[in-house]
Amino acid sequence: MDKIKNIAAGAFFIAGLVSCGSVKNVTETVASQPLRTVETEHLLKNFKKTPAKGFMFGHQDATVYGIGWEGDQDRSDVKSVCGDYPAVCGWDVGHIELGNDESLDKVSFDRIRKGIIAQYLRGGLNTVSWHLNNPLTGGDAWDVKNDSVVTSILPGGVNHKLFLTWLDRLATFFNSLTTASGEKVPVLFRPWHEHTGNWFWWGKSHCTPQQYKDLWQMTHDYLRSQGVNNLLYAYSHGGEGTKEEYMERYPGDEYVDLLGFDCYQSDGVKGVDAYKKNMTTVLTYLTRLGKEHHKPIAVTETGLEALPMDTWWTEVLFPLLDQYPVIYVLVWRNARERPNHFFAPYPGQASEKNFISFFYQSKTLFCKDLRGLYK
Ligand code: BMA
């Protein structure tokens, strides 16, 4: 179904986005290496055109699997419900560091590469997170038994060399994202996320603020030294704490292109008030920080697991976002292997009808509403 009523608003958003002045082929160079490709530079300029007249809707692993299916060509639960792809596709490259063929969620990296390129060719945005293993213990990203993991991979640490081989594999993947005509696909990379919580080995109680900043800067600089010039960087905490806590581990304006946060409605229906309060608190300070640092802001992960509220889209999520200049919101994956671990509707799901109303709001942007994100 076409989102006729939305075209005007979507076109306005993008018309605004593309009118922001000419861009040199390469605006900055580091050690005579182009910092960013032309398309990546355009994406950044377009991100910075705020306040946006709408926000893009995103879904994790949107086109590789969903409820009751896996691997079907061009399929997406969101598209099955509303007729269009999400404007933003999220991906996770956990286990790429190990040299594996499949991600931690059992999606082949070849399939992820193809999905990223397809989303780019249809004019949409891709964002990549990284639930990488623990390089010290061999456990997963949630293995927090040892507090010296970050120290061990920084320069001088016992695992520094090993970690650079992990970054090499990541760099090879990012460098391989090229279209048939040879364009490198820009990606919003969101490493070291939810670091103000304690559930990942790079979390707050497992490294100092300085070590966290060093980790981020090392990742950024090393990928760049390997010719990775198609990334923008998103910094996102786990939705807890104050503005000061948000900034305590901030690696610096030159290392970050977008400010975001992850915040879920936990406790099902009961959690709605806490969710609204939390979202409002963070969105309020993030709006200010975005202005102060000249960075776009986004809700980089959110959702209500299993969607037990039929009207969640228009009565909870939309009114929250409507008040702030967020450029996108992304809901987490529709796991085909974990019952009830889904965050977007699928045909027959109870919130389907309400999602269609959300889709028809003039401020919600889906893939066909985007024109010129890379121009
Ligand atoms: C989590 C869950 C896990 C998954 C991980 C990385 O929130 O969805 O099942 O492995 O994200 O995608």
Side-chain angles (χ1 to χ4, degrees), residues 97-114:
E97 70 281 0
L98 307 177
N100 291 3
D101 292 336
E102 274 185 0
S103 75
L104 81 164
D105 295 318
K106 303 213 174 343
V107 186
S108 82
F109 289 113
D110 193 46
R111 187 69 192 80
I112 294 179
R113 180 185 303 106
K114 287 185 177 132

Side-chain angles (χ1 to χ4, degrees), residues 263-267 269-281:
C263 177
Y264 286 84
Q265 181 174 327
S266 39
D267 286 336
V269 180
K270 282 199 307 260
V272 67
D273 290 337
Y275 175 68
K276 285 182 184 167
K277 191 162 174 260
N278 199 355
M279 288 282 282
T280 304
T281 303

Side-chain angles (χ1 to χ4, degrees), residues 11 46 66 77 89 112 132 142-143 161 169 188 190 208 215 239 259 276 283 298 300 302 328 343 374:
N46 290 332
D77 281 347
C89 283
I112 294 179
L132 71 165
W142 294 266
D143 180 354
K161 275 207 176 117
R169 289 178 177 135
L188 179 66
R190 196 168 65 87
T208 67
L215 175 66
L259 305 179
K276 285 182 184 167
L283 282 165
T300 44
T302 196
Y328 80 85
F343 298 86
Y374 303 98

Side-chain angles (χ1 to χ4, degrees), residues 60-61 92 104-105 131 142 264 301 332-333 337-338 341 343:
Q60 183 75 4
D61 280 352
D92 196 278
L104 81 164
D105 295 318
H131 286 83
W142 294 266
Y264 286 84
E301 279 185 39
W332 206 240
R333 63 197 193 102
E337 82 291 5
R338 268 177 72 176
H341 190 58
F343 298 86

Side-chain angles (χ1 to χ4, degrees), residues 14 22 44 83 143 185 189 200 245 263 289-290 325 345 356 359:
I14 300 307
S22 69
L44 178 61
D143 180 354
V185 177
F189 184 38
F200 295 132
E245 284 165 295
C263 177
L289 285 171
I356 295 171
F359 168 79

